[in-house]
CSV table of all heavy atoms in Angstrom, one decimal:
chain,number,residue,atom,x,y,z
A,1,ALA,N,-119.4,182.1,141.6
A,1,ALA,CA,-120.6,181.4,141.6
A,1,ALA,C,-121.8,182.5,141.5
A,1,ALA,O,-122.9,182.1,140.9
A,1,ALA,CB,-121.0,180.6,142.7
A,2,SER,N,-121.7,183.6,142.0
A,2,SER,CA,-122.8,184.7,142.1
A,2,SER,C,-122.1,186.0,142.0
A,2,SER,O,-121.1,186.3,142.6
A,2,SER,CB,-123.8,184.5,143.2
A,2,SER,OG,-123.1,184.7,144.5
A,3,ILE,N,-122.9,187.0,141.5
A,3,ILE,CA,-122.4,188.4,141.3
A,3,ILE,C,-123.4,189.2,142.0
A,3,ILE,O,-124.6,189.2,141.8
A,3,ILE,CB,-122.2,188.8,139.9
A,3,ILE,CG1,-121.2,187.9,139.1
A,3,ILE,CG2,-121.8,190.2,139.8
A,3,ILE,CD1,-121.3,188.0,137.6
A,4,THR,N,-122.9,190.0,143.1
A,4,THR,CA,-123.8,190.9,143.7
A,4,THR,C,-123.1,192.4,143.6
A,4,THR,O,-122.0,192.5,144.0
A,4,THR,CB,-124.0,190.5,145.2
A,4,THR,OG1,-124.6,189.3,145.2
A,4,THR,CG2,-124.9,191.6,145.9
A,5,VAL,N,-123.9,193.3,143.1
A,5,VAL,CA,-123.3,194.7,143.0
A,5,VAL,C,-123.9,195.4,144.3
A,5,VAL,O,-125.2,195.5,144.4
A,5,VAL,CB,-123.7,195.3,141.7
A,5,VAL,CG1,-123.2,196.8,141.7
A,5,VAL,CG2,-123.0,194.5,140.5
A,6,LYS,N,-123.1,196.0,145.1
A,6,LYS,CA,-123.6,196.8,146.3
A,6,LYS,C,-124.4,198.1,146.0
A,6,LYS,O,-124.2,198.6,144.9
A,6,LYS,CB,-122.5,197.0,147.3
A,6,LYS,CG,-121.8,195.7,147.8
A,6,LYS,CD,-120.7,196.1,148.8
A,6,LYS,CE,-120.1,194.9,149.3
A,6,LYS,NZ,-119.0,195.1,150.2
A,7,GLU,N,-125.3,198.4,146.9
A,7,GLU,CA,-126.0,199.8,146.8
A,7,GLU,C,-125.0,200.9,146.7
A,7,GLU,O,-123.9,200.7,147.3
A,7,GLU,CB,-126.8,199.9,148.0
A,7,GLU,CG,-128.0,198.9,148.2
A,7,GLU,CD,-129.1,199.2,147.1
A,7,GLU,OE1,-129.2,200.4,146.6
A,7,GLU,OE2,-129.8,198.2,146.7
A,8,GLY,N,-125.3,201.7,146.0
A,8,GLY,CA,-124.4,203.0,145.9
A,8,GLY,C,-123.6,203.0,144.5
A,8,GLY,O,-123.1,204.0,144.0
A,9,ILE,N,-123.6,201.8,143.8
A,9,ILE,CA,-122.8,201.8,142.6
A,9,ILE,C,-123.9,202.1,141.5
A,9,ILE,O,-125.0,201.7,141.5
A,9,ILE,CB,-122.3,200.3,142.3
A,9,ILE,CG1,-121.3,199.8,143.3
A,9,ILE,CG2,-121.8,200.1,140.9
A,9,ILE,CD1,-120.2,200.5,143.4
A,10,THR,N,-123.4,203.0,140.6
A,10,THR,CA,-124.4,203.5,139.6
A,10,THR,C,-124.0,203.0,138.2
A,10,THR,O,-124.8,203.1,137.3
A,10,THR,CB,-124.4,205.0,139.5
A,10,THR,OG1,-123.1,205.5,139.3
A,10,THR,CG2,-124.9,205.5,140.9
A,11,THR,N,-122.8,202.6,137.9
A,11,THR,CA,-122.3,202.1,136.7
A,11,THR,C,-121.7,200.7,136.6
A,11,THR,O,-120.9,200.5,137.6
A,11,THR,CB,-121.3,203.2,136.1
A,11,THR,OG1,-121.9,204.5,136.1
A,11,THR,CG2,-120.8,202.8,134.7
A,12,ILE,N,-122.2,200.0,135.8
A,12,ILE,CA,-121.5,198.7,135.5
A,12,ILE,C,-120.4,198.9,134.5
A,12,ILE,O,-120.7,199.1,133.3
A,12,ILE,CB,-122.5,197.6,135.1
A,12,ILE,CG1,-123.6,197.4,136.0
A,12,ILE,CG2,-121.8,196.3,134.8
A,12,ILE,CD1,-123.3,196.8,137.5
A,13,GLY,N,-119.1,198.9,134.9
A,13,GLY,CA,-118.1,199.4,134.0
A,13,GLY,C,-117.8,198.3,132.8
A,13,GLY,O,-118.4,197.1,132.8
A,14,ASN,N,-117.1,198.7,131.8
A,14,ASN,CA,-116.7,198.0,130.7
A,14,ASN,C,-115.9,196.7,131.3
A,14,ASN,O,-114.9,196.8,132.1
A,14,ASN,CB,-115.7,198.7,129.8
A,14,ASN,CG,-116.4,200.0,129.2
A,14,ASN,OD1,-117.6,200.0,129.1
A,14,ASN,ND2,-115.7,200.8,128.6
A,15,TYR,N,-116.4,195.5,130.7
A,15,TYR,CA,-115.9,194.2,130.9
A,15,TYR,C,-115.6,193.9,132.5
A,15,TYR,O,-114.9,193.0,132.8
A,15,TYR,CB,-114.4,194.2,130.2
A,15,TYR,CG,-114.6,194.3,128.8
A,15,TYR,CD1,-114.3,195.6,128.2
A,15,TYR,CD2,-114.9,193.5,127.9
A,15,TYR,CE1,-114.5,195.8,126.8
A,15,TYR,CE2,-115.1,193.6,126.6
A,15,TYR,CZ,-114.8,194.8,126.1
A,15,TYR,OH,-115.0,195.0,124.7
A,16,ILE,N,-116.4,194.5,133.4
A,16,ILE,CA,-116.3,194.3,134.8
A,16,ILE,C,-116.6,192.8,135.2
A,16,ILE,O,-115.8,192.4,136.1
A,16,ILE,CB,-117.2,195.2,135.5
A,16,ILE,CG1,-116.8,195.2,137.0
A,16,ILE,CG2,-118.6,194.9,135.4
A,16,ILE,CD1,-115.6,195.9,137.3
A,17,PHE,N,-117.4,192.1,134.5
A,17,PHE,CA,-117.7,190.7,134.9
A,17,PHE,C,-117.2,189.9,133.8
A,17,PHE,O,-117.8,188.6,133.7
A,17,PHE,CB,-119.1,190.5,135.2
A,17,PHE,CG,-119.6,191.3,136.4
A,17,PHE,CD1,-120.6,192.4,136.2
A,17,PHE,CD2,-118.9,191.2,137.6
A,17,PHE,CE1,-120.9,193.1,137.2
A,17,PHE,CE2,-119.4,192.1,138.7
A,17,PHE,CZ,-120.3,192.9,138.5
A,18,TYR,N,-116.3,190.1,133.0
A,18,TYR,CA,-115.7,189.4,131.9
A,18,TYR,C,-115.2,188.0,132.4
A,18,TYR,O,-114.5,188.0,133.3
A,18,TYR,CB,-114.6,190.2,131.2
A,18,TYR,CG,-114.0,189.5,130.1
A,18,TYR,CD1,-114.5,189.1,129.0
A,18,TYR,CD2,-112.6,189.4,130.2
A,18,TYR,CE1,-113.9,188.6,127.8
A,18,TYR,CE2,-111.9,188.7,129.2
A,18,TYR,CZ,-112.6,188.2,128.0
A,18,TYR,OH,-111.9,187.7,127.0
A,19,LYS,N,-115.6,187.0,131.7
A,19,LYS,CA,-115.2,185.7,132.0
A,19,LYS,C,-115.7,185.2,133.4
A,19,LYS,O,-115.0,184.3,133.9
A,19,LYS,CB,-113.6,185.5,131.8
A,19,LYS,CG,-113.2,185.5,130.5
A,19,LYS,CD,-111.8,185.0,130.3
A,19,LYS,CE,-111.4,184.8,128.8
A,19,LYS,NZ,-110.0,184.4,128.8
A,20,CYS,N,-116.8,185.7,133.9
A,20,CYS,CA,-117.2,185.0,135.1
A,20,CYS,C,-118.1,183.8,134.6
A,20,CYS,O,-119.4,183.9,134.7
A,20,CYS,CB,-118.2,186.0,135.9
A,20,CYS,SG,-117.1,187.3,136.7
A,21,THR,N,-117.6,182.9,134.0
A,21,THR,CA,-118.2,181.8,133.2
A,21,THR,C,-118.9,180.8,134.2
A,21,THR,O,-119.8,180.1,133.7
A,21,THR,CB,-117.1,181.0,132.4
A,21,THR,OG1,-116.1,180.5,133.4
A,21,THR,CG2,-116.5,181.9,131.4
A,22,LYS,N,-118.6,180.9,135.5
A,22,LYS,CA,-119.3,179.9,136.4
A,22,LYS,C,-120.5,180.6,137.1
A,22,LYS,O,-121.2,179.9,137.8
A,22,LYS,CB,-118.3,179.4,137.4
A,22,LYS,CG,-117.1,178.8,136.8
A,22,LYS,CD,-117.2,177.3,136.7
A,22,LYS,CE,-115.8,176.7,136.4
A,22,LYS,NZ,-115.7,176.0,135.1
A,23,ALA,N,-120.6,181.9,137.0
A,23,ALA,CA,-121.7,182.7,137.7
A,23,ALA,C,-123.0,182.2,137.2
A,23,ALA,O,-123.2,182.2,136.0
A,23,ALA,CB,-121.5,184.1,137.6
A,24,THR,N,-124.0,181.9,138.2
A,24,THR,CA,-125.3,181.6,137.8
A,24,THR,C,-126.3,182.5,138.3
A,24,THR,O,-127.5,182.5,137.9
A,24,THR,CB,-125.8,180.1,138.2
A,24,THR,OG1,-125.5,180.1,139.7
A,24,THR,CG2,-124.8,179.0,137.6
A,25,ALA,N,-125.8,183.4,139.1
A,25,ALA,CA,-126.8,184.3,139.8
A,25,ALA,C,-126.2,185.8,139.7
A,25,ALA,O,-125.0,186.0,139.8
A,25,ALA,CB,-127.1,184.0,141.3
A,26,LEU,N,-127.2,186.7,139.6
A,26,LEU,CA,-126.8,188.1,139.4
A,26,LEU,C,-127.8,189.0,140.2
A,26,LEU,O,-128.9,188.9,140.0
A,26,LEU,CB,-126.7,188.5,137.9
A,26,LEU,CG,-126.5,189.9,137.6
A,26,LEU,CD1,-125.2,190.5,138.0
A,26,LEU,CD2,-126.8,190.2,136.1
A,27,SER,N,-127.2,189.9,141.0
A,27,SER,CA,-128.0,190.9,141.8
A,27,SER,C,-127.6,192.3,141.5
A,27,SER,O,-126.4,192.5,141.8
A,27,SER,CB,-128.1,190.5,143.2
A,27,SER,OG,-128.8,191.4,143.9
A,28,LEU,N,-128.4,193.1,141.0
A,28,LEU,CA,-128.0,194.5,140.8
A,28,LEU,C,-128.9,195.5,141.6
A,28,LEU,O,-130.1,195.2,141.6
A,28,LEU,CB,-128.2,194.8,139.3
A,28,LEU,CG,-127.5,193.9,138.3
A,28,LEU,CD1,-127.9,194.3,136.8
A,28,LEU,CD2,-126.0,194.2,138.4
A,29,PRO,N,-128.3,196.5,142.2
A,29,PRO,CA,-129.2,197.5,143.0
A,29,PRO,C,-129.9,198.5,142.0
A,29,PRO,O,-129.6,198.6,140.9
A,29,PRO,CB,-128.1,198.2,143.8
A,29,PRO,CG,-126.9,198.2,142.9
A,29,PRO,CD,-126.9,196.8,142.2
A,30,GLU,N,-130.9,199.1,142.6
A,30,GLU,CA,-131.8,199.9,141.8
A,30,GLU,C,-131.1,201.2,141.3
A,30,GLU,O,-131.6,201.8,140.3
A,30,GLU,CB,-133.0,200.3,142.7
A,30,GLU,CG,-134.0,199.2,142.9
A,30,GLU,CD,-134.6,198.8,141.5
A,30,GLU,OE1,-135.0,199.6,140.6
A,30,GLU,OE2,-134.7,197.5,141.3
A,31,GLY,N,-130.0,201.6,141.8
A,31,GLY,CA,-129.3,202.8,141.3
A,31,GLY,C,-128.5,202.7,140.1
A,31,GLY,O,-127.9,203.7,139.7
A,32,ILE,N,-128.3,201.6,139.6
A,32,ILE,CA,-127.6,201.5,138.3
A,32,ILE,C,-128.2,202.1,137.2
A,32,ILE,O,-129.3,202.1,136.9
A,32,ILE,CB,-127.5,199.9,137.9
A,32,ILE,CG1,-126.8,199.1,139.0
A,32,ILE,CG2,-126.7,199.7,136.6
A,32,ILE,CD1,-125.4,199.4,139.3
A,33,THR,N,-127.4,203.0,136.5
A,33,THR,CA,-127.9,203.8,135.4
A,33,THR,C,-127.3,203.4,134.0
A,33,THR,O,-127.9,203.8,133.0
A,33,THR,CB,-127.6,205.3,135.7
A,33,THR,OG1,-126.2,205.5,135.8
A,33,THR,CG2,-128.3,205.8,136.9
A,34,SER,N,-126.2,202.8,134.1
A,34,SER,CA,-125.6,202.3,132.8
A,34,SER,C,-124.8,200.9,132.9
A,34,SER,O,-124.3,200.6,133.9
A,34,SER,CB,-124.7,203.4,132.2
A,34,SER,OG,-123.5,203.5,133.0
A,35,VAL,N,-124.9,200.3,131.8
A,35,VAL,CA,-124.2,199.0,131.7
A,35,VAL,C,-123.1,199.1,130.6
A,35,VAL,O,-123.3,199.4,129.4
A,35,VAL,CB,-125.2,197.8,131.2
A,35,VAL,CG1,-124.5,196.5,131.1
A,35,VAL,CG2,-126.2,197.8,132.3
A,36,GLY,N,-121.8,199.0,131.0
A,36,GLY,CA,-120.7,199.2,130.1
A,36,GLY,C,-120.6,198.2,129.0
A,36,GLY,O,-121.1,197.0,129.0
A,37,GLN,N,-119.6,198.5,128.0
A,37,GLN,CA,-119.3,197.6,127.0
A,37,GLN,C,-118.8,196.3,127.5
A,37,GLN,O,-117.9,196.2,128.4
A,37,GLN,CB,-118.2,198.2,126.0
A,37,GLN,CG,-117.7,197.5,124.9
A,37,GLN,CD,-116.7,198.3,124.1
A,37,GLN,OE1,-116.7,199.4,124.1
A,37,GLN,NE2,-115.9,197.5,123.5
A,38,GLY,N,-119.4,195.2,127.0
A,38,GLY,CA,-118.8,193.9,127.3
A,38,GLY,C,-119.0,193.5,128.7
A,38,GLY,O,-118.3,192.6,129.4
A,39,ALA,N,-119.9,194.2,129.5
A,39,ALA,CA,-119.9,194.1,131.0
A,39,ALA,C,-120.1,192.7,131.5
A,39,ALA,O,-119.6,192.2,132.5
A,39,ALA,CB,-120.9,195.0,131.6
A,40,PHE,N,-121.1,192.0,130.8
A,40,PHE,CA,-121.3,190.7,131.2
A,40,PHE,C,-120.8,189.6,130.1
A,40,PHE,O,-121.2,188.5,130.1
A,40,PHE,CB,-122.8,190.5,131.4
A,40,PHE,CG,-123.3,191.2,132.5
A,40,PHE,CD1,-124.0,192.5,132.2
A,40,PHE,CD2,-123.2,190.9,133.7
A,40,PHE,CE1,-124.4,193.3,133.2
A,40,PHE,CE2,-123.6,191.6,134.9
A,40,PHE,CZ,-124.2,192.9,134.6
A,41,ARG,N,-119.8,190.0,129.4
A,41,ARG,CA,-119.3,189.1,128.3
A,41,ARG,C,-118.7,187.8,128.9
A,41,ARG,O,-118.0,187.7,130.0
A,41,ARG,CB,-118.0,189.8,127.7
A,41,ARG,CG,-117.5,189.0,126.6
A,41,ARG,CD,-116.3,189.8,125.9
A,41,ARG,NE,-115.8,189.0,124.8
A,41,ARG,CZ,-114.9,189.4,123.9
A,41,ARG,NH1,-114.3,190.5,124.1
A,41,ARG,NH2,-114.4,188.5,123.1
A,42,LEU,N,-119.2,186.7,128.2
A,42,LEU,CA,-118.9,185.3,128.7
A,42,LEU,C,-119.4,184.9,130.0
A,42,LEU,O,-118.8,184.0,130.7
A,42,LEU,CB,-117.3,185.0,128.6
A,42,LEU,CG,-116.8,184.9,127.1
A,42,LEU,CD1,-115.4,185.0,127.1
A,42,LEU,CD2,-117.2,183.6,126.5
A,43,CYS,N,-120.5,185.6,130.5
A,43,CYS,CA,-121.2,185.1,131.7
A,43,CYS,C,-122.2,184.1,131.2
A,43,CYS,O,-123.3,184.2,131.1
A,43,CYS,CB,-121.9,186.3,132.3
A,43,CYS,SG,-120.8,187.4,133.2
A,44,GLN,N,-121.5,182.9,130.9
A,44,GLN,CA,-122.3,181.9,130.0
A,44,GLN,C,-123.3,181.2,130.8
A,44,GLN,O,-124.2,180.5,130.2
A,44,GLN,CB,-121.2,180.9,129.6
A,44,GLN,CG,-120.2,181.5,128.7
A,44,GLN,CD,-119.1,180.5,128.5
A,44,GLN,OE1,-118.8,179.6,129.3
A,44,GLN,NE2,-118.2,180.7,127.5
A,45,ARG,N,-123.4,181.2,132.1
A,45,ARG,CA,-124.5,180.4,132.8
A,45,ARG,C,-125.5,181.3,133.5
A,45,ARG,O,-126.6,180.8,134.1
A,45,ARG,CB,-123.7,179.7,134.0
A,45,ARG,CG,-122.7,178.6,133.4
A,45,ARG,CD,-122.2,177.8,134.5
A,45,ARG,NE,-121.2,176.9,133.9
A,45,ARG,CZ,-120.6,175.8,134.5
A,45,ARG,NH1,-120.9,175.7,135.8
A,45,ARG,NH2,-119.8,175.1,134.0
A,46,ILE,N,-125.5,182.6,133.2
A,46,ILE,CA,-126.6,183.4,133.8
A,46,ILE,C,-127.8,183.3,132.9
A,46,ILE,O,-127.7,183.6,131.6
A,46,ILE,CB,-126.1,184.9,134.0
A,46,ILE,CG1,-125.1,184.9,135.0
A,46,ILE,CG2,-127.3,185.7,134.4
A,46,ILE,CD1,-124.5,186.3,135.2
A,47,ALA,N,-128.9,182.9,133.4
A,47,ALA,CA,-130.1,182.7,132.5
A,47,ALA,C,-131.0,183.8,132.4
A,47,ALA,O,-131.7,184.0,131.5
A,47,ALA,CB,-130.8,181.4,132.9
């Protein structure tokens, strides 16, 4: 239903949230420096 990336993570890996089709909420920490290939692919409900 929701995705939260914890503090200390710097990279959103390739396809890490692939097919999280029901997720409507996303929270990313300030330390993220890169978003990988297809990282949020098919996160169809995040607005």
Side-chain angles (χ1 to χ4, degrees):
S2 66
I3 300 167
T4 301
V5 179
K6 293 182 179 179
E7 291 292 332
I9 300 295
T10 59
T11 300
I12 303 296
N14 295 345
Y15 301 98
I16 193 74
F17 301 117
Y18 177 63
K19 283 193 177 180
C20 287
T21 58
K22 307 271 193 240
T24 58
L26 172 65
S27 177
L28 301 172
E30 285 303 314
I32 300 294
T33 60
S34 66
V35 177
Q37 178 178 333
F40 297 100
R41 182 178 181 178
L42 285 167
C43 289
Q44 299 168 338
R45 294 184 185 188
I46 294 176

